[in-house]
Amino acid sequence: MPMLKDPSQKYQPYTPLNIPDRQWPSKTLTKAPIWLSTDLRDGNQALANPMSIPQKTLFFKQLVACGVKEIEVAYPAASDTDFGFVRGLIEQKMVPDDVWLQVLTPARADLIKRTVDSVAGSKHAIIHMYNATSPLFRDVVFRNSKEETIALAVEHTKLIRQLTEECTAKHGTVFKYEYSPETFTQTELEFAVEVCEAVKKAWGKAGTGEDRIIFNLPATVEIATPNHYADQIEMFCRLITEREKIIVSLHPHNDRGTGTAATELGQLAGGDRVEGCLFGNGERTGNVDLVTLGLNLYSQGIAPNLDFSDLYSVIETVTQCNDLPVHPRHPYAGELVFTAFSGSHQDAIKKGFEQQKRRHALDAQADQPQYWSMPYLPVDPADLGCNYEAIIRVNSQSGKGGIAYIVRQALQLDLPRRMQVAFYQVIQGISDTTGKEMTTEDITTAFKKSYHYGHRHEGRLALHSFTIADTSRPSSPTGVSRSSSPSSPSHEIPRKFEGKVSVDGIIREIRGQGNGPLSALLDALKTYLDVHLEIREYSEHSFGEGTEVKAGSYVELVEPGTAKGVAGAWGVGADSDIAASGLRAVLSAVNSFLGDKSLPAFDTSSGFIPGKSGSTAVAVAIRQTMQLELPRRLLMEFTGDLSAEKDSVRFDVLAQMFKRKYHFDDDGQLSSGAKYTLVSFNLTNICPEGTTGQDSRRRFEGDIKVDGVVKHVVGEGNGPLSSLIGALEEQTKSTYTIKDYTQHSIGEGSSVKAASYVELITAGGKTAWGVGTDEDITGSGLRAVLSAASGL
């Protein structure tokens, strides 16, 4: 059936109240109301699968933790389960002294008695009775006249007074009474007041302060605009007598989607108390949301007397108990409410954070409040236990400002504007290709790969070590520059760069001169690698604090003669030393410029020349042929052996000499010429009697070849290597001690291996180095021990 063209033939509008002098529109909220959570009663009855006792108990504890002081826990006469839950809270002493338990009952004598029994022995309890008062329910559902409706409410109010007084005398429970003219908003206003006056008289104990009677005025079904509910509340407050003895309670539902507005306007109109549920659970479209109401007050500088400092834990509890999700766009609580995808929004938020940081610093100096004032963020997410990571998220609609914000938050790098444009194009390309949102991890990974930032993302060129010398003063010591701005005009002093740079995996020594460290490096790259680039833009900043402070540097490089409108290659570097930071940024930009362009090959045909070549040439040869990064003392030992040669040694011959000396085979195993080789092994932990696990030792048991003969050996020690040494000592009757041990990884991914280096020393002072590799790091160390032992 389609929608009607003229819905007035089917639906009637609400009848507005004529209040020429209404007061609520000129009022503002200045304090929090009394809050009542009805999650465990009104919310629970709306669930397809009502909560179990453990779930209700968990929910109750969460409400207490949030600071709710009045909690409607059940309709105890409805089932033994609800009755038992209420009794359990009381008997297990789970109810804090300042929390009131509220229980609901209809106007029926047998149900009222069981309801009062359910809270006997509690410190504070509210008995909440209701009966429907609107014409629709009077005429259709119950077929009661107005007089019969009033008589029903009065009779059972008197019964509640009698039973609660008896319970107080017997158990000491302090009671309050709440009455609801159900379907209040659809009831004639004068009749609603008449019923409540009769109930107040029947109760006979309404006083001031804690003795006030509670009249709950529910929008059982939301049937009008929020201002109409406010009008009804204001008129009720005007017409009811002894207003000072009454707590006017609001209980809006959300059928029209305006429950929050109706509640706030109802408070302006005189409401003292609000009943609702966390995140708006409830029948049909739900009860009003206490979280939204509380945080609306909070965002206006009004203490809500509710604690949502860890809002995510509240969400977790509620979703777990209700088995209902919180919508991603739900006010304050949705996962997207503090998130901006739009480029213009992201730029505004980024600028807002930057300006607010400066403003707060000035406010702190002046001892003034540091007010929150941010575009698109009415409340600070940090106040709710959220971080700023998800504030800006990136898709194809995002702008450079948002992307730069994420980089700054995640990596502490404040990109120059032109670099923001360059990286924005990278992200847009990825986002357009995938068509999906890019996470912070996606963006930071793309940044690191694009600019070769960080050890795991080094490009074809990587800085290993360097010195910067001031060539204007020949007598000045050579050292690392720590200038505050490596390329600024104030530092245009002739400088000499000498350093080791990894070029396509090979360490190369390069030298250059320039007016500063960066131009000296560029001169070296021009000389040795035929890379002709110059600096177009350079900037830097510091990040981190104390001993962790670092410099972040940004460089744009262009080829000589490049027009201003043509983009260059950007690079970024970070280091605790500002000169190193700038040098890394230059190499980052050079990597971006190079791509897969070929570079001049490193000439190794002459090999190692005794008396001329040094340890660097040896390190290059070993690394290029076997991927080994030798420890310095091992490198110097082998270099010394080579220096004793009469003629030059080709690098391929040099590698073979290394393998023979240290019994190292091409596959990483010990060569057949080694005295000791590993066949198999097993390591176990042993804990001697009377010792703790912290005193445990390792036991080596395995087969090793000794001069080609397999022998089964056993040894103990504090670790894998020392336990193998113990086994060797049993075989050789000699004593070995580890003098030096180091290791590193070789390769990447599934082909990665461990390389280990061990120097052993005997009791007589004789030393020998050993080398071993293995897919297992322990195995590589054991092979290195046997390699060293073979050399003794």
Side-chain angles (χ1 to χ4, degrees):
M1 178 178 177
M3 291 178 62
L4 302 177
K5 291 184 178 180
D6 182 10
S8 67
Q9 299 302 305
K10 186 172 184 178
Y11 300 104
Q12 300 180 63
Y14 72 92
T15 303
L17 299 179
N18 183 20
I19 314 176
D21 61 341
R22 59 175 57 85
Q23 300 299 306
W24 64 262
S26 61
K27 296 182 179 180
T28 57
L29 296 177
T30 58
K31 65 178 183 178
I34 301 167
W35 303 105
L36 174 121
S37 162
T38 186
D39 288 274
L40 300 176
R41 198 280 303 169
D42 207 350
N44 186 56
Q45 76 181 32
L47 298 175
N49 298 302
M51 286 181 260
S52 63
I53 296 296
Q55 286 176 314
K56 293 188 79 170
T57 303
L58 176 64
F59 208 129
F60 178 82
K61 291 179 179 178
Q62 182 67 71
L63 291 169
V64 170
C66 290
V68 182
K69 301 303 181 184
E70 297 185 4
I71 304 173
E72 190 165 59
V73 290
Y75 182 164
S79 69
D80 291 338
T81 300
D82 274 6
F83 185 91
F85 170 64
V86 180
R87 294 308 309 160
L89 292 177
I90 298 167
E91 292 167 6
Q92 296 174 36
K93 302 187 184 303
M94 297 173 61
V95 186
D97 289 346
D98 61 346
V99 171
W100 292 74
L101 296 184
Q102 179 166 303
V103 284
L104 179 73
T105 180
R108 277 182 49 184
D110 56 334
L111 302 184
I112 289 172
K113 184 178 187 311
R114 187 159 174 79
T115 300
V116 174
D117 288 344
S118 73
V119 292
S122 64
K123 186 159 187 174
H124 298 112
I126 302 171
I127 304 298
H128 178 195
M129 189 191 80
Y130 70 94
N131 67 312
T133 56
S134 66
L136 183 63
F137 278 75
R138 292 197 313 260
D139 300 340
V140 176
V141 180
F142 300 110
R143 298 182 181 180
N144 282 342
S145 64
K146 287 185 176 181
E147 293 74 19
E148 288 172 322
T149 300
I150 293 174
L152 184 70
V154 167
E155 175 188 351
H156 292 93
T157 296
K158 291 179 179 178
L159 177 60
I160 289 173
R161 172 174 178 169
Q162 174 194 335
L163 294 175
T164 54
E165 288 177 346
E166 292 172 357
C167 185
T168 299
K170 185 175 181 180
H171 300 285
T173 302
V174 177
F175 284 96
K176 287 183 182 180
Y177 179 47
E178 174 177 342
Y179 171 71
S180 289
E182 192 188 12
T183 62
F184 164 78
T185 52
Q186 294 169 281
T187 300
E188 308 93 321
L189 184 61
E190 293 78 7
F191 181 62
V193 172
E194 183 181 355
V195 174
C196 289
E197 289 283 11
V199 166
K200 176 158 63 77
K201 182 178 180 181
W203 180 244
K205 299 193 295 181
T208 57
E210 290 297 312
D211 294 328
R212 289 177 292 173
I213 189 172
I214 302 169
F215 286 138
N216 187 52
L217 308 179
T220 308
V221 178
E222 193 175 36
I223 49 89
T225 53
N227 61 295
H228 180 64
Y229 186 58
D231 282 347
Q232 290 176 307
I233 299 301
E234 180 170 325
M235 287 307 299
F236 181 91
C237 292
R238 288 190 190 186
L239 296 174
I240 195 76
T241 63
E242 300 181 297
R243 176 65 179 85
E244 72 282 0
K245 298 181 180 180
I246 296 165
I247 294 174
V248 173
S249 182
L250 311 178
H251 186 114
H253 280 251
N254 200 41
D255 298 86
R256 293 167 57 96
T258 59
T260 298
T263 304
E264 292 179 334
L265 299 187
Q267 288 176 255
L268 296 177
D272 307 301
R273 181 174 183 264
V274 172
E275 298 188 354
C277 295
L278 300 186
F279 310 119
N281 182 39
E283 297 282 7
R284 303 178 310 282
T285 56
N287 293 73
V288 71
D289 174 18
L290 298 186
V291 177
T292 298
L293 290 170
L295 293 178
N296 281 356
L297 291 173
Y298 183 78
S299 70
Q300 299 298 303
I302 301 169
N305 301 327
L306 295 173
D307 186 3
F308 298 121
S309 299
D310 187 2
L311 190 57
Y312 282 151
S313 71
V314 180
I315 294 170
E316 184 177 356
T317 297
V318 173
T319 54
Q320 176 184 338
C321 294
N322 286 346
D323 197 23
L324 291 172
V326 172
H327 194 279
R329 299 293 184 187
H330 193 101
Y332 302 107
E335 65 178 28
L336 296 178
V337 297
F338 297 125
T339 298
F341 287 101
S342 161
S344 60
H345 288 207
Q346 293 173 347
D347 186 60
I349 291 170
K350 174 180 175 289
K351 291 175 180 175
F353 271 114
E354 293 168 351
Q355 195 277 339
Q356 180 169 269
K357 184 177 181 180
R358 295 191 292 269
R359 188 179 69 250
H360 280 182
L362 295 174
D363 291 338
Q365 291 176 1
D367 197 25
Q368 295 295 316
Q370 297 174 35
Y371 289 114
W372 176 265
S373 180
M374 286 289 297
Y376 302 110
L377 297 175
V379 69
D380 186 352
D383 291 353
L384 310 182
C386 308
N387 58 39
Y388 297 137
E389 182 175 328
I391 287 179
I392 289 177
R393 289 165 64 174
V394 173
N395 61 15
S396 59
Q397 302 301 309
S398 302
K400 62 182 182 298
I403 295 168
Y405 170 86
I406 288 177
V407 172
R408 183 173 184 176
Q409 290 296 113
L411 302 177
Q412 302 183 64
L413 298 176
D414 191 5
L415 306 185
R417 183 172 180 80
R418 284 166 53 80
M419 190 176 185
Q420 290 181 28
V421 174
F423 185 53
Y424 166 75
Q425 293 170 350
V426 173
I427 295 301
Q428 283 296 100
I430 298 172
S431 182
D432 287 341
T433 300
T434 63
K436 296 180 180 179
E437 177 194 354
M438 294 192 67
T439 65
T440 296
E441 183 178 359
D442 293 334
I443 293 168
T444 55
T445 298
F447 181 87
K448 292 174 182 178
K449 288 182 177 179
S450 297
Y451 300 108
H452 314 285
Y453 184 73
H455 178 70
R456 293 182 58 189
H457 300 279
E458 284 183 347
R460 297 175 62 188
L461 275 59
L463 184 67
H464 274 237
S465 62
F466 73 96
T467 58
I468 300 294
D470 181 353
T471 59
S472 67
R473 293 180 294 173
S475 61
S476 64
T478 299
V480 175
S481 167
R482 295 188 179 276
S483 63
S484 61
S485 184
S487 67
S488 64
S490 62
H491 291 274
E492 289 186 353
I493 300 170
R495 298 293 175 93
K496 181 179 180 180
F497 171 91
E498 292 187 2
K500 295 178 182 179
V501 175
S502 172
V503 181
D504 292 331
I506 299 174
I507 300 296
R508 303 196 35 189
E509 288 188 352
I510 60 174
R511 299 174 180 84
Q513 293 190 8
N515 291 328
L518 307 193
S519 59
L521 172 59
L522 286 171
D523 180 63
L525 296 174
K526 176 181 177 182
T527 301
Y528 287 83
L529 300 179
D530 197 30
V531 175
H532 297 254
L533 293 170
E534 59 187 23
I535 297 173
R536 172 188 278 171
E537 183 174 330
Y538 173 85
S539 63
E540 65 191 30
H541 65 82
S542 62
F543 61 90
E545 296 180 356
T547 58
E548 300 299 319
V549 71
K550 288 185 177 182
S553 299
Y554 311 90
V555 173
E556 184 184 19
L557 300 180
V558 294
E559 293 182 281
T562 300
K564 288 185 178 181
V566 178
W570 277 95
V572 59
D575 199 282
S576 56
D577 173 62
I578 194 169
S581 171
L583 296 173
R584 295 185 192 281
V586 167
L587 292 179
S588 168
V590 172
N591 282 320
S592 299
F593 168 79
L594 286 177
D596 57 0
K597 295 177 183 177
S598 61
L599 291 171
F602 183 46
D603 183 12
T604 61
S605 60
S606 60
F608 180 89
I609 304 174
K612 291 186 177 181
S613 301
S615 59
T616 299
V618 177
V620 168
I622 297 297
R623 180 174 181 178
Q624 186 175 9
T625 54
M626 289 174 283
Q627 297 183 275
L628 299 179
E629 296 279 359
L630 303 187
R632 180 168 180 77
R633 292 200 306 113
L634 172 56
L635 176 62
M636 298 311 294
E637 174 185 286
F638 185 56
T639 302
D641 291 347
L642 293 171
S643 297
E645 296 289 323
K646 293 181 180 181
D647 301 317
S648 65
V649 181
R650 291 180 56 86
F651 283 157
D652 55 346
V653 176
L654 180 152
Q656 294 301 320
M657 292 174 63
F658 179 87
K659 293 176 182 178
R660 286 196 301 271
K661 179 176 176 63
Y662 299 106
H663 313 289
F664 187 75
D665 213 343
D666 286 329
D667 62 357
Q669 308 297 311
L670 294 176
S671 65
S672 57
K675 182 176 181 64
Y676 303 105
T677 56
L678 184 66
V679 179
S680 63
F681 71 93
N682 184 49
L683 289 167
T684 56
N685 289 320
I686 55 175
C687 188
E689 186 176 352
T691 63
T692 65
Q694 295 178 343
D695 301 319
S696 65
R697 290 165 59 79
R698 303 300 293 277
R699 176 186 176 90
F700 175 94
E701 184 172 355
D703 294 332
I704 62 174
K705 283 185 180 180
V706 182
D707 293 326
V709 179
V710 176
K711 292 189 177 183
H712 188 74
V713 296
V714 177
E716 293 183 10
N718 292 326
L721 306 194
S722 59
S723 64
L724 172 57
I725 289 173
L728 286 174
E729 289 175 340
E730 286 291 325
Q731 289 292 316
T732 63
K733 306 305 179 184
S734 299
T735 301
Y736 305 104
T737 304
I738 295 177
K739 185 178 180 181
D740 198 355
Y741 171 67
T742 186
Q743 61 191 34
H744 65 81
S745 60
I746 297 174
E748 296 181 355
S750 59
S751 62
V752 71
K753 287 185 177 182
S756 297
Y757 309 89
V758 171
E759 185 180 19
L760 292 183
I761 183 170
T762 65
K766 185 178 179 181
T767 65
W769 277 94
V771 182
T773 63
D774 198 288
E775 293 179 354
D776 173 54
I777 191 169
T778 301
S780 76
L782 297 175
R783 296 184 193 282
V785 167
L786 294 177
S787 170
S790 295
L792 289 171

Coordinates of all heavy atoms in Angstrom, one line a residue, residues 582-636:
G582 N 69.7 15.9 8.3 CA 69.7 16.5 7.0 C 70.3 15.6 6.0 O 69.8 15.5 4.8
L583 N 71.4 14.9 6.3 CA 72.0 14.0 5.3 C 71.1 12.9 5.0 O 71.0 12.5 3.8 CB 73.3 13.5 5.9 CG 74.4 14.5 6.2 CD1 75.6 13.8 6.9 CD2 74.9 15.2 4.9
R584 N 70.4 12.3 5.9 CA 69.4 11.3 5.6 C 68.3 11.8 4.7 O 67.8 11.1 3.9 CB 68.9 10.7 6.9 CG 69.9 10.0 7.8 CD 69.3 9.3 9.0 NE 70.3 8.9 10.0 CZ 71.0 7.8 9.8 NH1 70.8 7.0 8.8 NH2 71.9 7.5 10.8
A585 N 67.9 13.0 5.0 CA 66.8 13.6 4.1 C 67.3 13.7 2.7 O 66.6 13.5 1.7 CB 66.4 14.9 4.7
V586 N 68.6 14.1 2.5 CA 69.1 14.2 1.1 C 69.1 12.9 0.5 O 68.7 12.7 -0.7 CB 70.6 14.8 1.2 CG1 71.3 14.6 -0.2 CG2 70.5 16.3 1.6
L587 N 69.6 11.8 1.1 CA 69.6 10.5 0.5 C 68.2 10.0 0.3 O 68.0 9.3 -0.7 CB 70.4 9.5 1.4 CG 71.9 9.8 1.6 CD1 72.6 8.8 2.5 CD2 72.6 9.7 0.2
S588 N 67.3 10.3 1.2 CA 65.9 9.9 0.9 C 65.4 10.6 -0.4 O 64.7 9.9 -1.2 CB 65.0 10.4 2.1 OG 63.6 10.3 1.8
A589 N 65.7 11.8 -0.6 CA 65.2 12.5 -1.8 C 65.9 11.9 -3.0 O 65.3 11.8 -4.1 CB 65.5 14.0 -1.7
V590 N 67.2 11.6 -2.9 CA 68.0 11.0 -4.0 C 67.4 9.7 -4.4 O 67.2 9.4 -5.5 CB 69.5 10.9 -3.6 CG1 70.2 10.1 -4.7 CG2 70.1 12.2 -3.4
N591 N 67.0 8.9 -3.4 CA 66.3 7.6 -3.6 C 65.0 7.8 -4.4 O 64.7 7.0 -5.4 CB 66.0 6.9 -2.3 CG 67.3 6.2 -1.7 OD1 68.1 5.6 -2.5 ND2 67.4 6.3 -0.4
S592 N 64.3 8.8 -4.0 CA 63.0 9.1 -4.8 C 63.3 9.5 -6.2 O 62.6 9.1 -7.1 CB 62.3 10.2 -4.1 OG 61.9 9.9 -2.8
F593 N 64.4 10.3 -6.4 CA 64.8 10.7 -7.7 C 65.3 9.6 -8.6 O 65.0 9.5 -9.8 CB 65.9 11.8 -7.6 CG 66.5 12.1 -8.9 CD1 65.9 13.0 -9.8 CD2 67.8 11.6 -9.2 CE1 66.5 13.3 -11.0 CE2 68.4 11.9 -10.5 CZ 67.8 12.7 -11.4
L594 N 66.1 8.7 -8.0 CA 66.7 7.6 -8.8 C 65.7 6.6 -9.4 O 65.9 6.2 -10.5 CB 67.7 6.9 -7.9 CG 69.0 7.6 -7.6 CD1 69.9 6.8 -6.7 CD2 69.8 7.9 -8.9
G595 N 64.8 6.2 -8.5 CA 63.9 5.1 -9.0 C 64.8 3.9 -9.3 O 65.6 3.4 -8.5
D596 N 64.7 3.4 -10.5 CA 65.5 2.2 -10.9 C 66.6 2.6 -11.9 O 67.1 1.7 -12.7 CB 64.6 1.1 -11.5 CG 63.8 1.6 -12.7 OD1 63.9 2.8 -13.1 OD2 63.0 0.8 -13.3
K597 N 67.0 3.9 -11.9 CA 68.0 4.3 -12.8 C 69.3 3.6 -12.4 O 69.6 3.4 -11.3 CB 68.2 5.8 -12.7 CG 67.1 6.6 -13.2 CD 67.3 8.1 -13.0 CE 66.1 8.9 -13.5 NZ 66.3 10.4 -13.2
S598 N 70.1 3.3 -13.4 CA 71.4 2.6 -13.2 C 72.4 3.6 -12.6 O 72.4 4.8 -12.9 CB 71.9 2.0 -14.4 OG 72.2 3.0 -15.4
L599 N 73.3 3.0 -11.8 CA 74.4 3.8 -11.2 C 75.7 3.2 -11.6 O 75.8 2.1 -11.9 CB 74.3 3.8 -9.6 CG 73.1 4.6 -9.1 CD1 73.0 4.3 -7.6 CD2 73.2 6.1 -9.3
P600 N 76.8 4.1 -11.6 CA 78.1 3.5 -12.0 C 78.5 2.4 -11.0 O 78.3 2.5 -9.8 CB 79.0 4.8 -11.7 CG 78.1 5.9 -11.9 CD 76.8 5.5 -11.3
A601 N 79.0 1.3 -11.6 CA 79.4 0.1 -10.8 C 80.6 0.4 -10.0 O 81.5 1.2 -10.3 CB 79.6 -1.1 -11.7
F602 N 80.7 -0.3 -8.9 CA 81.9 -0.2 -8.0 C 83.0 -1.1 -8.6 O 82.8 -2.3 -8.8 CB 81.5 -0.6 -6.6 CG 82.6 -0.5 -5.6 CD1 83.4 0.6 -5.5 CD2 82.9 -1.5 -4.7 CE1 84.4 0.8 -4.6 CE2 83.9 -1.4 -3.8 CZ 84.6 -0.3 -3.7
D603 N 84.1 -0.5 -8.9 CA 85.2 -1.2 -9.5 C 85.9 -2.1 -8.5 O 86.6 -1.6 -7.7 CB 86.2 -0.3 -10.2 CG 87.3 -1.0 -11.0 OD1 87.2 -2.2 -11.2 OD2 88.2 -0.3 -11.4
T604 N 85.8 -3.4 -8.7 CA 86.4 -4.3 -7.7 C 87.5 -5.2 -8.4 O 88.0 -6.1 -7.8 CB 85.4 -5.3 -7.1 OG1 84.8 -6.0 -8.1 CG2 84.4 -4.5 -6.3
S605 N 87.8 -4.8 -9.7 CA 88.8 -5.7 -10.4 C 90.2 -5.7 -9.8 O 90.9 -6.7 -9.9 CB 88.8 -5.3 -11.9 OG 89.3 -3.9 -11.9
S606 N 90.5 -4.6 -9.2 CA 91.9 -4.6 -8.6 C 92.0 -5.4 -7.3 O 93.1 -5.7 -6.9 CB 92.3 -3.1 -8.4 OG 91.5 -2.5 -7.5
G607 N 90.9 -5.6 -6.7 CA 90.9 -6.4 -5.4 C 91.6 -5.7 -4.3 O 91.7 -4.4 -4.3
F608 N 92.1 -6.4 -3.3 CA 92.8 -5.9 -2.1 C 94.3 -5.7 -2.4 O 95.0 -6.7 -2.8 CB 92.6 -6.9 -1.0 CG 93.2 -6.4 0.3 CD1 92.5 -5.6 1.2 CD2 94.5 -6.7 0.6 CE1 93.1 -5.1 2.4 CE2 95.1 -6.3 1.8 CZ 94.4 -5.5 2.7
I609 N 94.8 -4.5 -2.2 CA 96.2 -4.2 -2.5 C 96.9 -4.0 -1.2 O 96.6 -3.0 -0.5 CB 96.3 -3.0 -3.4 CG1 95.5 -3.2 -4.7 CG2 97.8 -2.7 -3.7 CD1 95.5 -2.0 -5.6
P610 N 97.8 -4.9 -0.8 CA 98.5 -4.7 0.5 C 99.2 -3.3 0.5 O 99.8 -2.9 -0.4 CB 99.5 -5.9 0.5 CG 98.9 -6.9 -0.4 CD 98.1 -6.1 -1.4
G611 N 99.0 -2.7 1.7 CA 99.7 -1.4 1.8 C 98.9 -0.2 1.3 O 99.2 0.9 1.6
K612 N 97.8 -0.5 0.5 CA 96.9 0.6 0.0 C 95.5 0.4 0.5 O 94.8 1.3 0.9 CB 97.0 0.7 -1.5 CG 98.4 1.1 -2.0 CD 98.3 1.3 -3.5 CE 99.7 1.9 -4.0 NZ 99.6 2.1 -5.5
S613 N 95.0 -0.8 0.3 CA 93.6 -1.0 0.6 C 93.4 -1.2 2.1 O 94.4 -1.6 2.8 CB 93.1 -2.3 -0.1 OG 93.2 -2.2 -1.5
G614 N 92.3 -0.9 2.6 CA 92.0 -1.0 4.1 C 90.9 -1.9 4.4 O 90.4 -2.7 3.5
S615 N 90.4 -1.9 5.6 CA 89.4 -2.8 6.1 C 88.1 -2.6 5.4 O 87.3 -3.5 5.2 CB 89.2 -2.7 7.6 OG 88.8 -1.3 7.9
T616 N 87.8 -1.3 4.9 CA 86.5 -1.1 4.2 C 86.4 -1.9 3.0 O 85.4 -2.5 2.7 CB 86.4 0.4 3.8 OG1 86.5 1.2 5.0 CG2 85.1 0.7 3.1
A617 N 87.5 -2.1 2.2 CA 87.5 -2.9 1.0 C 87.2 -4.3 1.3 O 86.5 -5.0 0.6 CB 88.8 -2.8 0.2
V618 N 87.8 -4.8 2.4 CA 87.5 -6.2 2.9 C 86.1 -6.4 3.3 O 85.4 -7.3 2.9 CB 88.5 -6.6 4.0 CG1 88.2 -8.0 4.5 CG2 89.9 -6.4 3.6
A619 N 85.5 -5.4 4.0 CA 84.1 -5.5 4.5 C 83.2 -5.5 3.3 O 82.2 -6.3 3.2 CB 83.8 -4.3 5.4
V620 N 83.5 -4.7 2.2 CA 82.7 -4.7 1.0 C 82.7 -6.0 0.3 O 81.7 -6.6 -0.1 CB 83.2 -3.6 0.1 CG1 82.5 -3.7 -1.3 CG2 82.9 -2.2 0.6
A621 N 83.9 -6.6 0.2 CA 84.0 -7.9 -0.5 C 83.3 -9.0 0.3 O 82.6 -9.8 -0.3 CB 85.5 -8.3 -0.6
I622 N 83.4 -9.0 1.6 CA 82.7 -10.1 2.4 C 81.2 -9.9 2.3 O 80.5 -10.9 2.2 CB 83.2 -10.0 3.8 CG1 84.7 -10.4 3.9 CG2 82.4 -11.0 4.7 CD1 85.1 -11.8 3.4
R623 N 80.8 -8.7 2.4 CA 79.4 -8.4 2.4 C 78.8 -8.7 1.0 O 77.7 -9.3 0.9 CB 79.1 -7.0 2.7 CG 77.6 -6.6 2.7 CD 77.3 -5.3 3.2 NE 75.9 -5.0 3.2 CZ 75.3 -3.9 3.6 NH1 76.1 -2.9 4.1 NH2 74.0 -3.7 3.6
Q624 N 79.5 -8.4 -0.1 CA 79.0 -8.6 -1.4 C 78.9 -10.1 -1.7 O 78.0 -10.6 -2.4 CB 79.9 -7.9 -2.4 CG 79.3 -7.9 -3.8 CD 80.2 -7.1 -4.8 OE1 81.2 -6.6 -4.4 NE2 79.7 -6.9 -6.0
T625 N 79.9 -10.9 -1.3 CA 79.9 -12.3 -1.7 C 79.2 -13.2 -0.7 O 78.7 -14.2 -1.1 CB 81.4 -12.7 -1.7 OG1 82.1 -12.5 -0.5 CG2 82.2 -12.0 -2.9
M626 N 79.1 -12.8 0.6 CA 78.5 -13.7 1.6 C 77.5 -13.1 2.4 O 76.9 -13.7 3.3 CB 79.6 -14.4 2.4 CG 80.5 -15.3 1.7 SD 81.9 -15.9 2.7 CE 83.0 -14.5 2.6
Q627 N 77.2 -11.8 2.3 CA 76.2 -11.0 3.0 C 76.5 -11.0 4.5 O 75.7 -10.9 5.4 CB 74.8 -11.6 2.9 CG 74.3 -11.6 1.4 CD 72.8 -12.1 1.4 OE1 72.6 -13.3 1.2 NE2 71.9 -11.2 1.4
L628 N 77.8 -11.1 4.8 CA 78.2 -11.1 6.2 C 78.7 -9.7 6.6 O 79.5 -9.1 5.9 CB 79.4 -12.1 6.5 CG 79.1 -13.6 6.2 CD1 80.3 -14.4 6.4 CD2 77.9 -14.1 7.0
E629 N 78.3 -9.3 7.8 CA 78.7 -8.0 8.4 C 79.6 -8.3 9.5 O 79.2 -8.6 10.7 CB 77.5 -7.2 8.9 CG 76.5 -6.8 7.8 CD 77.0 -5.5 7.1 OE1 78.0 -5.0 7.5 OE2 76.3 -5.1 6.2
L630 N 80.9 -8.3 9.3 CA 81.9 -8.8 10.2 C 82.0 -7.8 11.4 O 82.1 -6.6 11.2 CB 83.3 -9.0 9.6 CG 83.3 -9.9 8.4 CD1 84.8 -10.1 8.0 CD2 82.7 -11.3 8.7
P631 N 82.2 -8.4 12.6 CA 82.5 -7.5 13.8 C 83.8 -6.9 13.6 O 84.7 -7.4 12.8 CB 82.5 -8.5 15.0 CG 81.8 -9.7 14.5 CD 82.0 -9.8 13.0
R632 N 84.0 -5.7 14.2 CA 85.2 -4.9 13.8 C 86.5 -5.7 14.1 O 87.5 -5.7 13.3 CB 85.2 -3.6 14.6 CG 86.4 -2.8 14.4 CD 86.3 -1.4 14.9 NE 87.4 -0.6 14.6 CZ 87.7 0.0 13.4 NH1 86.9 -0.2 12.4 NH2 88.8 0.7 13.2
R633 N 86.6 -6.4 15.3 CA 87.8 -7.1 15.6 C 88.1 -8.2 14.7 O 89.3 -8.5 14.3 CB 87.8 -7.5 17.1 CG 87.9 -6.3 18.0 CD 88.3 -6.6 19.4 NE 87.6 -7.6 20.1 CZ 88.1 -8.8 20.4 NH1 89.3 -9.1 20.1 NH2 87.3 -9.7 21.0
L634 N 87.1 -8.9 14.3 CA 87.2 -10.0 13.3 C 87.7 -9.5 12.0 O 88.6 -10.0 11.3 CB 85.9 -10.8 13.1 CG 85.9 -11.8 12.0 CD1 87.0 -12.9 12.2 CD2 84.5 -12.5 12.0
L635 N 87.1 -8.3 11.6 CA 87.4 -7.7 10.3 C 88.9 -7.3 10.3 O 89.6 -7.5 9.3 CB 86.5 -6.5 10.1 CG 86.8 -5.6 8.8 CD1 86.7 -6.4 7.5 CD2 85.9 -4.4 8.8
M636 N 89.3 -6.7 11.4 CA 90.7 -6.2 11.5 C 91.7 -7.4 11.5 O 92.8 -7.3 11.0 CB 90.9 -5.4 12.8 CG 90.1 -4.1 12.8 SD 90.2 -3.1 11.3 CE 91.9 -2.6 11.4

